[in-house]
Amino acid sequence: MSPSNTQLPPRNRGGESKQPKGLQKKKKKKKSAFKSFLKFLLVVIIVAVLGVAGYVGWVALKVDKTILDTGNDNPVAPEASAKVKPITMILLGTDYRPKTGTHLTDVMMIAAFNPDTKSATVVSIPRDTRIELDGKVSKANAYYPYFLGKEKKSGVSALDEMKTMFSKYLDVPIDYATVINFQGFSDVVDALGGVNVNISMDMCYKDNADGTDINLTKGPAELKGEDALGYVRYRKSSSGCKPRTKESDDFSRNMRQSEVLHSLIDQMQTLSGVAKLGKVIDAVDENMEIDMEQIQLKNVISTYWNISKDNVKFMPVTGNWKSPYVYIDNDELDQAKQALKDEIAGKSVNLKDQNASNLIP
């Protein structure tokens, strides 16, 4: 019975209470114990709230520190803020690791973000795509190290060169560029405790020169950093593998990249993922280069932090392999161009109802 019930008879109606005194004391103790429990519960709630508030504040400091170390301090006009204006970015994943020292871009994605629809479209380009630039023909993944080698002489940054080249290639303006190396990718996965994937086939590749050791078995798996890196990189088996495993083309790699990115989004948006955000920020800070303004990076984080994976549309562009290049399917390329333009224009909504083949479950 509730202690606030006002229908209880008064204690002294018509004289002395008929209840034994001992019973009265017992009831009083129960009431006191209940109040104590409420006080205890209130203290726990307050401590929990303060703890969360403190943690959020700590994360904000971490983000601020990372941004100060990563972005530039140029101003951003209010109308150009990512909070109100769609932005585009080229995302490059290089094979750089201390053991190799190389900068080939094995991952190339162009992303458009829209703040009104809280959605994004990501187009991935095969690393072996044949691209001709100023009379020079090369694989797409070779241009970033080529531009790096020219930076001092040309005075133009490799990131600016990549933005210019892919803006022409995809017929959309590219605002920003970011590069993250393989070590950073591996560290981010480890910071989140691994990613869940469904491995489509056995994969084995060993290379003593750079320490690569891919040994994955077909089926559902939770992969840690190095194994997740091997999963998205795997191309073919090596002589050190017995038995040898099937080869994988650029298009399958792009699908695996999308699968892992979706899994990372899932991980980040769990309670445990939020608790690991500090480690993720540290992993990114040490292994990423970005040409975005510091304040704009804050705008992006605050606007798209809780983006739903259902509102992230991946479009891997495919084509025909004819050694040593991939010749892109023009119809798919045109669809990718249009998808990026639609995202910028705010037309990319209700992504769940679109072609399911473009989404990784």
Side-chain angles (χ1 to χ4, degrees):
M1 183 177 290
S2 170
S4 63
N5 192 329
T6 59
Q7 301 305 311
L8 287 174
R11 284 178 184 261
N12 296 310
R13 176 181 292 177
E16 291 287 319
S17 171
K18 295 181 180 180
Q19 296 178 349
K21 292 183 178 180
L23 186 56
Q24 290 177 1
K25 290 180 179 178
K26 188 176 181 182
K27 284 192 174 181
K28 188 175 181 181
K29 284 183 179 178
K30 281 188 176 180
K31 188 174 181 182
S32 176
F34 183 69
K35 285 184 177 179
S36 297
F37 173 73
L38 287 179
K39 289 179 181 178
F40 170 75
L41 187 61
L42 183 60
V43 169
V44 169
I45 291 172
I46 291 172
V47 170
V49 170
L50 290 176
V52 171
Y55 176 75
V56 170
W58 174 78
V59 168
L61 288 174
K62 292 282 291 182
V63 171
D64 262 345
K65 179 182 180 299
T66 302
I67 290 171
L68 291 172
D69 289 345
T70 304
N72 61 67
D73 59 0
N74 295 334
V76 176
E79 64 273 14
S81 168
K83 294 181 179 180
V84 297
K85 179 182 178 294
I87 62 169
T88 53
M89 178 184 296
I90 183 168
L91 311 166
L92 305 172
T94 73
D95 66 350
Y96 175 81
R97 284 176 292 176
K99 292 180 180 179
T100 63
T102 55
H103 294 275
L104 294 170
T105 51
D106 281 2
V107 177
M108 287 165 288
M109 296 180 172
I110 296 81
F113 301 86
N114 193 294
D116 295 326
T117 57
K118 288 292 191 298
S119 60
T121 295
V122 183
V123 171
S124 58
I125 303 296
R127 51 165 279 166
D128 292 333
T129 297
R130 183 184 186 276
I131 293 182
E132 182 174 351
L133 179 68
D134 298 332
K136 172 183 172 62
V137 175
S138 189
K139 295 180 180 180
N141 76 327
Y143 278 98
Y144 179 65
Y146 169 69
F147 292 140
L148 277 176
K150 290 178 56 181
E151 272 186 346
K152 290 184 179 179
K153 185 175 181 180
S154 68
V156 182
S157 75
L159 292 184
D160 283 340
E161 294 277 27
M162 292 296 284
K163 287 190 295 186
T164 300
M165 183 177 79
F166 276 98
S167 291
K168 293 179 180 177
Y169 187 71
L170 293 169
D171 195 26
V172 292
I174 297 177
D175 303 312
Y176 300 106
T178 185
V179 180
I180 186 167
N181 61 46
F182 280 168
Q183 189 62 51
F185 173 87
S186 177
D187 288 351
V188 166
V189 172
D190 280 337
L192 287 170
V195 292
N196 295 310
V197 299
N198 190 9
I199 303 171
S200 61
M201 64 181 187
D202 291 348
M203 300 177 185
C204 178
Y205 180 83
K206 301 180 187 298
D207 187 344
N208 293 329
D210 65 4
T212 300
D213 186 3
I214 302 171
N215 189 12
L216 304 173
T217 304
K218 179 180 179 179
E222 181 182 70
L223 303 181
K224 300 303 182 184
E226 281 297 318
D227 285 338
L229 176 59
Y231 181 62
V232 299
R233 288 190 67 205
Y234 177 75
R235 294 171 61 82
K236 60 182 180 179
S237 192
S238 62
S239 58
C241 295
K242 300 186 185 306
R244 301 283 285 269
T245 52
K246 294 180 181 178
E247 292 190 4
S248 175
D249 57 26
D250 267 356
F251 318 125
S252 297
R253 281 192 297 278
N254 283 348
M255 293 297 290
R256 295 198 297 272
Q257 291 163 16
S258 299
E259 180 187 14
V260 168
L261 284 174
H262 264 138
S263 183
L264 286 174
I265 292 173
D266 280 343
Q267 290 284 78
M268 285 293 293
Q269 293 180 348
T270 64
L271 185 60
S272 62
V274 172
K276 297 168 184 171
L277 182 58
K279 292 182 180 180
V280 173
I281 293 171
D282 286 340
V284 170
D285 187 27
E286 295 171 4
N287 297 283
M288 184 181 77
E289 178 185 358
I290 189 169
D291 65 357
M292 186 177 286
E293 303 88 355
Q294 295 162 7
I295 187 63
Q296 188 73 304
L297 192 50
K298 290 182 183 180
N299 294 337
V300 171
I301 292 172
S302 63
T303 303
Y304 298 102
W305 165 248
N306 61 346
I307 189 171
S308 167
K309 73 170 185 178
D310 292 322
N311 281 354
V312 180
K313 178 182 180 183
F314 288 95
M315 295 193 67
V317 178
T318 65
N320 297 311
W321 166 257
K322 186 177 179 181
S323 183
Y325 301 113
V326 169
Y327 291 80
I328 289 297
D329 183 298
N330 288 328
D331 288 338
E332 287 191 18
L333 185 60
D334 288 340
Q335 290 173 18
K337 292 177 181 179
Q338 190 59 50
L340 290 170
K341 292 175 182 177
D342 287 346
E343 188 66 68
I344 295 169
K347 298 178 181 178
S348 184
V349 293
N350 297 323
L351 295 180
K352 286 184 178 181
D353 299 329
Q354 294 185 13
N355 190 341
S357 66
N358 288 327
L359 295 174
I360 305 297

